Amino acid sequence: MMAFGSPSSNAHSTSSTCHSLLRELQQIWTDIGESEVDKDRMLLELERECMEVYRRKVEEAANAKSRLHQSVAAKEAELATLMAALGEHNINSPIQSEKMSASLKEQLGLIMPLVDDLKAKKDERVKQFADIKTQIEKITSEISGSCTIVNSLSTLNLEEHDLSTRKLSECQSHLRALQKEKSVRVQRVLDSVNEVHTLCGVLGLDFGETVSNVHPSLHETGLGQYTNISDSTLEGLDQAILKLKTERKVRYQKLKDVAGSLFELWKLMDTTREERRKLSRIISFLDISESKIVEPGALTLEVIQQVSAEVGRLTKLKASRMKELVMKRRAELEDLCCKTHIQPDSSTAADKSSAMIDSGLVDPCELLANIEAQINKVKDEALSRKEIMDKIERWLSSCDEENWLEDYNLDHTRYSGGRGAHINLKRAERARITVTKIPGMVDSLISRTLAWENENQKLFLYDGVRLVSILEDYKVSRHQKEEDKKRARDQKKLQDMLLAEKESIYGSRPSPRRSNSFRKTNGFHTNGNGSVTPSPRRNSVGCATPELQTPRSYSGRQNTYFKEMRRLSTVPLNFVAMAKEDTMSFSSIGGSEPESPPQG
């Protein structure tokens, strides 16, 4: 028979009771007369029943322990999850330090407060994240311009994932960045709206309609509405500004063009200052650059139309005066050409211009512009011809002195003691020096003229005739003149010899009376200093030798001098037998030639 033993000292009394009851049961079985086999069988059954009771209790206790252990483990896991979510890695679990000594219930009692504290902290942290998330989603929605809430924290699960202070700081930084971007966008929108307002004022356009076309919130923001700051709004404002600036530029250029025509008409029409003052405010906008015009109404269509109307009015008035103005400028061109000895362009001659204007074949403005261009061209050419023209003036002046000297030498009273004789004598000395320089002047003038023609790749024309040809003709004529004088002197010497032979044979005879032909038919004229100066023309002597006539005052319009010079240079010499009286006349003036100046 199995003996029941005490499992522990605390169960000693229970074990004594069980032994006492077993002995009593055995006594009862003896008294009943149970056999030993039955007694053993019943004791085995009793023992099995006791084992069942113990086994059941043990299983119940093991189940309770398991559940308790699971509770502790679950709390530990929850604690770990909360600590990980909140980033509380500095909290040490009490289980690790007291696990060996503390029971499961004690461990659970230690974990529960920590879990409750972290839960409360998590709830507070969730509220913070939720608030930040709401603000982020609102600003993101404003920036995107969409009514749909965009989850800027899509990687964050506010219930199970990262709720640490680091993540909270990141979200706060994200929020601050969005707030800063919003502030920048709001300022950009305000600046753009202000610029649109200014441009609309300058152009006279409806500001409200312009910005409403971009986004309604830019013009009227009611209760609960906000100004749209999306990319599409900013882009729309930029496009609106660009369009307005382009329109401002177009209108400014149009006003500038119209004002240019107005200025030209004012100048042509000699418009008074009082009449110009009516549009002075509008015209004053052209003194500043197009980008700096901000005055309201400066470039409205009405302003441009007003200037255009004035241009139209003046254009009608101009038509009646253009012909007179064209003729005036043509006369100025001809006068300038006459002074500079340049042939004017015949395409704009007065009669042709008048006929073209009357027939309507040409615009008077174009004709006037053509004449103006010709005037400028003549002025430019005159500037390049100035050096040569100065040389021509000096040459012509020297020729005048030569003519005066020739006339002076023909005057038989030049050595008389008349009034101003000494002054003329001094002038004659200076004139002889000047005359000796004429060939060098002509050669220098030819050289300089050829250099000018080579440089400008065109002929140097003097009243339509090439200057080099004129000078070459002059050189030939001058040479011919010198040859004529030489032959005349030789002829005079021969005649003197014949006269001497006759006198030696027949004796001397009275000198013939001087011919009155030596006297100047046009006499003398008194200059400003009291000297007597010969007139420009010369009388012919008793020979047929032609003389070179160099003018003192040259008419550029007629070219008379150079034509006459070329005619004279081709006249053949005619030596005729001279009378004795004429021979004596030559003798009386022979010593007054330029080549043999008087001594004295």
Side-chain angles (χ1 to χ4, degrees):
M1 184 174 181
M2 181 178 177
F4 293 90
S6 175
S8 64
S9 56
N10 294 331
H12 179 68
S13 57
T14 304
S15 179
S16 299
T17 303
C18 287
H19 283 288
S20 176
L21 290 174
L22 180 57
R23 284 195 299 272
E24 184 177 356
L25 180 57
Q26 288 177 345
Q27 183 61 45
I28 293 173
W29 284 342
T30 302
D31 293 340
I32 294 175
E34 294 289 343
S35 63
E36 289 299 327
V37 177
D38 292 334
K39 289 180 180 180
D40 291 338
R41 181 179 55 78
M42 287 187 291
L43 285 174
L44 287 174
E45 291 177 358
L46 181 59
E47 186 176 359
R48 280 197 300 271
E49 291 178 1
C50 290
M51 289 298 293
E52 289 294 333
V53 173
Y54 274 104
R55 188 177 292 109
R56 187 174 63 254
K57 292 298 183 182
V58 169
E59 289 177 357
E60 291 177 359
N63 292 334
K65 178 181 178 181
S66 177
R67 289 192 297 272
L68 189 58
H69 192 275
Q70 290 177 355
S71 298
V72 171
K75 292 298 180 182
E76 285 182 345
E78 185 178 2
L79 179 63
T81 301
L82 291 172
M83 291 172 62
L86 297 174
E88 302 290 344
H89 301 293
N90 57 343
I91 301 177
N92 294 324
S93 176
I95 308 299
Q96 303 299 327
S97 58
E98 299 181 8
K99 189 172 183 180
M100 300 302 297
S101 58
S103 63
L104 291 176
K105 289 185 178 182
E106 291 174 347
Q107 293 177 19
L108 186 60
L110 293 172
I111 293 175
M112 288 295 294
L114 292 176
V115 172
D116 293 339
D117 290 341
L118 290 178
K119 281 184 177 181
K121 196 170 186 179
K122 175 183 176 183
D123 294 338
E124 182 65 26
R125 189 70 56 81
V126 167
K127 292 180 180 180
Q128 294 179 358
F129 271 97
D131 181 59
I132 293 174
K133 178 183 178 181
T134 301
Q135 297 183 54
I136 289 176
E137 290 178 345
K138 180 180 178 181
I139 297 176
T140 303
S141 177
E142 293 176 358
I143 292 176
S144 65
S146 174
C147 298
T148 303
I149 301 297
V150 178
N151 186 3
S152 61
L153 299 177
S154 58
T155 59
L156 174 65
N157 188 322
L158 296 179
E159 296 296 329
E160 298 180 0
H161 291 83
D162 193 358
L163 297 175
S164 62
T165 54
R166 177 188 59 80
K167 188 64 177 180
L168 182 63
S169 298
E170 291 178 0
C171 292
Q172 290 174 341
S173 298
H174 186 199
L175 177 60
R176 286 192 295 270
L178 289 175
Q179 289 173 338
K180 183 178 180 180
E181 182 179 357
K182 176 182 177 179
S183 177
V184 171
R185 285 173 174 263
V186 169
Q187 188 61 44
R188 281 184 60 188
V189 169
L190 293 178
D191 293 342
S192 298
V193 169
N194 290 335
E195 189 170 3
V196 170
H197 185 272
T198 300
L199 291 171
C200 288
V202 171
L203 299 174
L205 301 177
D206 188 349
F207 165 72
E209 181 180 357
T210 302
V211 293
S212 295
N213 291 334
V214 177
H215 197 278
S217 65
L218 299 176
H219 184 223
E220 296 181 359
T221 302
L223 185 63
Q225 295 181 344
Y226 61 89
T227 300
N228 190 281
I229 57 174
S230 64
D231 290 338
S232 61
T233 299
L234 292 174
E235 183 179 355
L237 287 173
D238 291 340
Q239 292 177 353
I241 292 174
L242 179 61
K243 182 178 180 181
L244 292 174
K245 285 184 176 180
T246 302
E247 180 65 19
R248 181 180 65 180
K249 185 176 182 179
V250 170
R251 292 190 184 183
Y252 180 84
Q253 186 61 43
K254 186 173 182 179
L255 178 62
K256 187 176 180 179
D257 295 339
V258 176
S261 301
L262 182 63
F263 291 151
E264 183 179 354
L265 288 169
W266 278 349
K267 182 179 179 180
L268 292 175
M269 304 294 291
D270 294 328
T271 306
T272 62
R273 184 173 299 178
E274 289 73 16
E275 293 178 350
R276 298 185 182 190
R277 190 176 293 115
K278 298 176 182 178
L279 299 176
S280 59
R281 175 180 170 275
I282 298 175
I283 303 303
S284 65
F285 296 138
L286 299 176
D287 295 335
I288 58 178
S289 63
E290 169 260 331
S291 59
K292 295 182 179 179
I293 297 179
V294 295
E295 184 172 344
L299 296 176
T300 61
L301 294 176
E302 290 75 11
V303 166
I304 298 176
Q305 182 60 34
Q306 183 179 355
V307 180
S308 300
E310 181 66 12
V311 170
R313 185 183 70 84
L314 293 177
T315 301
K316 293 179 180 179
L317 293 177
K318 179 191 70 173
S320 61
R321 302 184 187 179
M322 281 304 299
K323 184 176 180 179
E324 178 183 353
L325 188 59
V326 167
M327 298 305 168
K328 178 180 178 182
R329 295 299 287 169
R330 174 64 190 187
E332 293 177 4
L333 173 62
E334 293 179 353
D335 183 62
L336 180 61
C337 289
C338 180
K339 292 179 180 178
T340 56
H341 298 278
I342 299 174
Q343 286 293 99
D345 189 350
S346 60
S347 64
T348 57
D351 52 348
K352 291 184 179 180
S353 298
S354 178
M356 287 189 293
I357 293 175
D358 293 340
S359 63
L361 296 177
V362 66
D363 185 4
C365 294
E366 295 180 0
L367 187 58
L368 183 62
N370 188 10
I371 296 176
E372 293 288 350
Q374 293 176 20
I375 292 176
N376 294 331
K377 182 179 179 181
V378 170
K379 289 181 179 179
D380 294 339
E381 185 171 348
L383 186 62
S384 69
R385 292 162 55 104
K386 185 177 185 305
E387 180 184 354
I388 298 177
M389 294 301 297
D390 292 342
K391 289 181 179 290
I392 293 175
E393 291 298 323
R394 288 194 292 270
W395 168 55
L396 293 177
S397 177
S398 299
C399 291
D400 288 342
E401 287 298 300
E402 183 181 26
N403 291 336
W404 180 89
L405 182 61
E406 291 176 355
D407 291 340
Y408 177 78
N409 289 333
L410 293 177
D411 182 17
H412 64 279
T413 63
R414 61 185 180 277
Y415 297 123
S416 64
R419 182 180 179 183
H422 67 288
I423 297 176
N424 286 331
L425 184 59
K426 290 182 179 180
R427 178 180 176 183
E429 292 297 328
R430 291 193 301 269
R432 290 188 183 97
I433 297 174
T434 300
V435 169
T436 60
K437 299 179 180 179
I438 288 179
M441 287 184 181
V442 173
D443 291 338
S444 175
L445 188 54
I446 292 176
S447 175
R448 182 64 188 92
T449 303
L450 291 174
W452 185 93
E453 290 180 344
N454 185 56
E455 178 182 351
N456 293 274
Q457 296 297 312
K458 63 180 181 180
L459 299 179
F460 189 101
L461 301 180
Y462 191 92
D463 290 326
V465 182
R466 188 185 181 194
L467 180 60
V468 173
S469 300
I470 295 174
L471 295 172
E472 293 291 347
D473 290 346
Y474 174 80
K475 288 179 64 177
V476 172
S477 298
R478 186 177 181 85
H479 178 72
Q480 184 68 38
K481 176 183 176 182
E482 297 295 332
E483 293 293 328
D484 293 344
K485 287 183 178 180
K486 183 178 179 181
R487 284 191 293 269
R489 286 193 299 269
D490 294 341
Q491 182 71 20
K492 182 177 72 67
K493 290 179 181 180
L494 179 60
Q495 291 174 353
D496 290 342
M497 291 175 62
L498 294 175
L499 180 62
E501 290 178 358
K502 289 181 179 181
E503 288 179 349
S504 63
I505 297 174
Y506 301 104
S508 61
R509 56 184 291 181
S511 297
R513 182 174 55 86
R514 281 192 174 91
S515 174
N516 291 332
S517 62
F518 287 101
R519 297 185 178 276
K520 305 301 292 181
T521 59
N522 55 354
F524 295 87
H525 64 274
T526 304
N527 57 19
N529 54 14
S531 63
V532 180
T533 305
S535 62
R537 294 189 300 175
R538 297 179 56 186
N539 289 328
S540 63
V541 295
C543 67
T545 305
E547 302 267 336
L548 176 67
Q549 299 180 1
T550 305
R552 276 171 289 287
S553 61
Y554 176 73
S555 175
R557 217 180 270 269
Q558 314 224 351
N559 201 19
T560 306
Y561 160 60
F562 294 114
K563 293 179 181 178
E564 182 65 19
M565 184 183 67
R566 290 195 294 273
R567 182 185 68 80
L568 290 175
S569 65
T570 59
V571 176
L573 296 175
N574 183 19
F575 293 97
V576 183
M578 303 174 67
K580 184 175 180 180
E581 289 79 9
D582 293 334
T583 304
M584 294 303 295
S585 298
F586 255 109
S587 300
S588 66
I589 65 173
S592 63
E593 289 296 323
E595 288 76 6
S596 57
Q599 303 296 327

